[in-house]
């Protein structure tokens, strides 16, 4: 978890020395300068104090019983909690080798006793300033790294919900919090609704997510609503101590063990486009630097999310245009252009796999007479019903029903042999008959009927899609010759013999 403390005056200094006189002198001197001073007379107490409440700087004597300063420093540097705390050695040892060893075990400075108060104060202030700059740089690097990783992930995300999921995951993992969720203004901008993007460090938090999914937050209601209205981050140190207005999900939070919460707005222009909420299982004191980090990242991400929204909308619009461009305007099945495209794709695919490809050509019997008798508007309505019936009989996702031209339809049946294709054709013929669309001028039925030609081929380098169409046309011609309202199948071998 990233935590930041900027310090000079008011910094916490731990003095480790077995001499009561030295402890008293250093405590008085440092306290007068505004430092918070803690003391430890031996290594055991010093390590416990440093691990329990890490100080900003340590002054460490070398010569002490049971555990000398070198060993204490080595243990401090070996622990992740204390390894970055600057250690200044204070010792009466003045040999070069003593100083070299002090730096070798991790010391940042070495002051010999007896020391000059002004010198030791200057060295302490110098190390604290260096430490402050290091932490500032660390925070900036963390912010840049977080922004970089989220920016890259957002650019790859399919939509806004996916982008928010990435943001929540990256931020939670960076700051060490357990749960992240996003709330978005609804279409009417009257309430916040739960985004589909979320993150949880473990499955025990799933009930909290499930509870939250159906909720909405008007302005100033609950943590999301308060952040939405104020446009400012909000921190709750202990959810159990808040009221329903401040955090309305307190009961479920207690059940899953959530104790602290942080809400941060994502602002684009002057409008909140989303509210990010982060939750922790421990009671966490307000950390202004953490708020600054998350808020800074959220500010940068606002523009990216807005761009992702625009990209998603454009992509959706383009997909709809592509869909419409592939459809016949009258019947809503695929048009001739889409038919040609899919036939070519399936041809090459099945040529590689050496599997059969079948085609059904369907023609409405005596359709010119139908138009003459009932008019073109009824003729259009008839074609729409016929197209729907053909589509309902061709149920597989890979099958394609297309309007081939005028009253003629085509059905592409990938990976379908001649027998299977003829069954589909017969099913189509019966589906159209069951529509019972009256056709007074038909010479084969009192209702609208279809003649169907079926062709099947296993694509090879020596054949082409055009041959499949020609064979289906020949089969359709045979169906008409045999009295119409029937299906005839022809194979590639028979047609070419």
């Amino acid at each position: 978890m990233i935590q930041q403390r900027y310090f000079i005056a008011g910094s916490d200094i731990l003095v480790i020395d077995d001499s009561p006189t030295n402890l008293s002198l250093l405590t008085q001197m440092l306290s007068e300068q505004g430092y918070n001073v803690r003391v430890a007379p031996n290594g055991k107490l010093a390590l416990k104090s440093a691990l329990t409440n890490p100080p900003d700087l340590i002054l460490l004597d070398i010569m002490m019983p049971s555990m000398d300063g070198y060993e204490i420093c080595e243990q401090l540097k070996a622990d992740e909690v204390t390894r970055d705390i600057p250690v200044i050695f204070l010792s009466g040892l003045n040999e070069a080798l003593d100083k070299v060893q002090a730096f070798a075990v991790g010391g940042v400075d070495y002051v010999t006793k007896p020391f000059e108060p002004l010198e030791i104060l200057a060295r302490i202030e110098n190390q604290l300033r260096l430490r402050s700059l290091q932490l500032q740089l660390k925070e900036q690097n963390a912010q840049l790294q977080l922004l970089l990783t989220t920016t890259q992930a957002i650019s790859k995300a399919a939509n806004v919900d996916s982008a928010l999921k990435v943001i929540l995951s990256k931020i939670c993992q960076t700051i060490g919090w357990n749960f992240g969720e996003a709330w978005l203004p609804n279409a009417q901008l009257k309430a916040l609704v739960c985004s589909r993007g979320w993150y949880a460090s473990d499955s025990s938090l799933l009930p909290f997510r499930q509870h939250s999914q159906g909720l909405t937050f008007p302005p100033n209601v609950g943590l999301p609503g308060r952040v939405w209205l104020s446009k400012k981050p909000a921190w709750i140190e202990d959810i159990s101590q808040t009221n329903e207005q401040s955090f309305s999900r307190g009961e479920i939070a207690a059940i899953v063990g959530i104790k602290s919460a942080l809400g941060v707005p994502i602002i684009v222009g002057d409008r909140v486009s989303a509210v990010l909420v982060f939750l922790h299982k421990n009671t966490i004191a307000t950390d202004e630097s953490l708020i600054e980090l998350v808020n800074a990242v959220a500010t940068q991400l606002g523009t990216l999310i807005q761009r992702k929204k625009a990209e998603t909308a454009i992509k959706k619009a383009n997909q709809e245009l592509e869909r419409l461009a592939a459809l016949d305007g009258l019947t809503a099945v695929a048009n001739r252009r889409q038919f040609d495209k899919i036939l070519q794709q399936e041809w090459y695919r099945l040529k590689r796999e050496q599997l059969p490809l079948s085609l059904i050509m369907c023609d409405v019997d005596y359709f010119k007479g139908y138009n003459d008798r009932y008019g073109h508007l009824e003729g259009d309505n008839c074609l729409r019903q016929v197209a729907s019936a053909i589509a309902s009989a061709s149920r597989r996702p890979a099958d394609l029903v297309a309007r081939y031209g005028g009253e003629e339809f085509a059905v592409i049946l990938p990976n379908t042999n001649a027998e299977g294709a003829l069954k589909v054709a017969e099913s189509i013929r019966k589906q159209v008959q069951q529509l019972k669309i009256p056709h007074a001028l038909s010479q084969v039925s009192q209702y609208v009927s279809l003649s169907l030609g079926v062709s099947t081929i296993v694509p090879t380098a020596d054949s082409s899609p055009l041959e499949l169409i020609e064979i289906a046309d020949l089969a359709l011609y045979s169906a008409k010759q045999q009295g119409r309202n029937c299906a005839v199948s022809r194979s590639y071998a028979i047609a070419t013999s």
Side-chain angles (χ1 to χ4, degrees):
M1 173 179 172
I2 295 175
Q3 286 186 319
Q4 200 57 45
R5 300 170 67 183
Y6 296 108
F7 38 61
I8 298 296
S11 296
D12 188 7
I13 297 178
L14 175 61
V15 181
I16 308 171
D17 199 313
D18 64 334
S19 168
T21 302
N22 287 338
L23 291 177
S24 177
L25 176 62
L26 288 166
T27 299
Q28 181 180 352
M29 181 184 70
L30 296 173
S31 298
E32 288 175 355
Q33 299 301 314
Y35 295 114
N36 299 315
V37 183
R38 288 184 284 147
V39 299
N42 57 60
K44 184 177 181 181
L45 290 175
L47 292 172
K48 182 177 180 181
S49 177
L51 287 168
T52 303
N53 184 19
D56 300 316
L57 183 139
I58 294 174
L59 295 177
L60 178 58
D61 187 22
I62 295 177
M63 301 299 293
M64 289 184 291
S66 73
M67 188 186 300
D68 64 25
Y70 299 134
E71 187 178 349
I72 294 171
C73 190
E74 285 180 327
Q75 291 197 32
L76 288 169
K77 298 304 174 182
D79 196 297
E80 187 176 355
V81 176
T82 55
R83 69 175 51 161
D84 294 326
I85 300 172
V87 176
I88 298 177
F89 279 93
L90 280 174
S91 177
L93 301 176
N94 198 25
E95 296 294 326
L97 289 176
D98 297 317
K99 296 177 182 179
V100 169
Q101 186 174 357
F103 287 113
V105 296
V108 295
D109 205 347
Y110 192 102
V111 180
T112 56
K113 299 176 183 177
F115 53 81
E116 287 290 335
L118 289 178
E119 179 188 1
I120 190 66
L121 288 173
R123 289 176 182 268
I124 288 171
E125 184 175 345
N126 180 58
Q127 291 301 327
L128 289 173
R129 289 192 184 279
L130 285 174
R131 179 65 178 147
S132 177
L133 291 172
Q134 288 171 353
L135 290 176
Q136 288 182 52
L137 182 61
K138 183 178 180 181
E139 180 179 331
Q140 290 170 0
N141 286 340
Q143 181 178 324
L144 289 172
Q145 184 62 33
L146 179 57
L147 189 58
L148 176 63
T149 55
T150 50
T151 300
Q152 292 172 338
I154 288 171
S155 66
K156 298 176 183 178
N159 49 48
V160 175
D161 284 321
S162 298
L164 286 171
K165 183 177 181 179
V166 168
I167 292 169
L168 294 166
S169 173
K170 295 294 183 183
I171 293 179
C172 281
Q173 291 171 20
T174 299
I175 66 176
W177 283 46
N178 304 110
F179 187 90
E181 60 184 7
W183 296 85
L184 306 175
N186 62 10
Q188 299 76 30
L189 302 179
K190 299 293 186 182
L192 295 174
V193 296
C194 195
S195 164
R196 289 193 293 273
W198 62 289
Y199 167 84
S201 61
D202 60 76
S203 59
S204 67
L205 298 171
L206 184 58
F208 186 87
R209 167 66 183 176
Q210 293 170 336
H211 174 84
S212 302
Q213 282 179 294
L215 299 180
T216 60
F217 287 101
N220 208 35
V221 175
L223 180 60
R226 288 194 294 119
V227 172
W228 185 24
L229 183 65
S230 68
K231 299 182 182 179
K232 295 178 181 179
W235 188 298
I236 300 176
E237 294 184 359
D238 188 350
I239 291 171
S240 66
Q241 301 301 311
T242 61
N243 55 34
E244 184 77 8
Q245 182 74 11
S246 298
F247 197 90
S248 60
R249 295 174 287 170
E251 186 174 338
I252 185 65
I255 292 173
V256 299
I258 290 172
K259 296 180 180 178
S260 291
L262 168 63
V264 178
I266 292 181
I267 300 175
V268 178
D270 61 347
R271 180 176 293 180
V272 175
S273 63
V275 173
L276 306 183
V277 174
F278 303 97
L279 304 164
H280 204 292
K281 288 186 173 183
N282 295 327
T283 301
I284 306 295
T286 302
D287 187 337
E288 292 298 335
S289 62
L290 181 58
I291 294 175
E292 288 177 14
L293 170 64
V294 178
N295 199 43
V297 173
T299 300
Q300 296 295 323
L301 293 176
T303 303
L304 293 173
I305 290 178
Q306 194 70 7
R307 187 185 305 164
K308 178 56 66 175
K309 284 183 177 179
E311 289 174 359
T312 302
I314 292 171
K315 183 179 180 181
K316 187 176 181 180
N318 286 338
Q319 289 173 340
E320 180 63 13
L321 287 174
E322 288 178 8
R323 188 186 72 83
L324 292 174
L327 295 181
D328 174 62
L330 175 65
T331 62
V333 295
N335 56 23
R336 175 66 180 272
R337 180 183 176 187
Q338 184 70 356
F339 168 84
D340 292 338
K341 175 183 173 182
I342 298 301
L343 181 62
Q344 196 77 10
Q345 288 178 357
E346 293 296 342
W347 181 271
Y348 286 117
R349 181 177 71 85
L350 295 171
K351 184 171 73 171
R352 287 194 307 272
E353 299 175 4
Q354 280 298 284
L355 293 171
L357 174 62
S358 292
L359 176 67
I360 302 174
M361 302 297 288
C362 319
D363 192 70
V364 179
D365 295 327
Y366 301 108
F367 187 69
K368 183 180 182 302
Y370 186 92
N371 269 339
D372 292 342
R373 175 68 174 80
Y374 300 101
H376 288 285
L377 289 178
E378 280 302 314
D380 287 348
N381 187 44
C382 172
L383 291 177
R384 280 192 286 267
Q385 292 183 71
V386 168
S388 179
I390 295 173
S392 67
S394 311
R395 298 186 181 90
R396 298 184 311 174
D399 298 344
L400 179 82
V401 177
R403 187 180 180 194
Y404 195 74
E407 70 273 20
E408 195 168 7
F409 295 88
V411 184
I412 299 173
L413 301 171
N415 195 15
T416 305
N417 59 25
E419 183 182 358
L422 187 59
K423 286 181 180 179
V424 174
E426 188 60 27
S427 176
I428 290 171
R429 188 189 68 79
K430 290 178 179 178
Q431 286 277 84
V432 172
Q433 279 278 281
Q434 288 171 7
L435 293 174
K436 294 186 177 181
I437 302 172
H439 190 348
L441 298 184
S442 174
Q443 297 178 28
V444 294
S445 172
Q446 60 180 320
Y447 301 116
V448 168
S449 61
L450 289 183
S451 295
L452 304 97
V454 182
S455 62
T456 301
I457 189 172
V458 175
T460 66
D462 299 325
S463 57
S464 72
L466 184 60
E467 290 177 88
L468 186 68
I469 296 172
E470 290 175 347
I471 297 168
D473 274 335
L474 286 173
L476 177 60
Y477 178 77
S478 295
K480 291 181 179 180
Q481 290 294 103
Q482 293 178 27
R484 303 180 190 254
N485 192 21
C486 65
V488 172
S489 175
R490 277 201 173 205
S491 68
Y492 177 71
I494 294 174
T496 55
S497 60

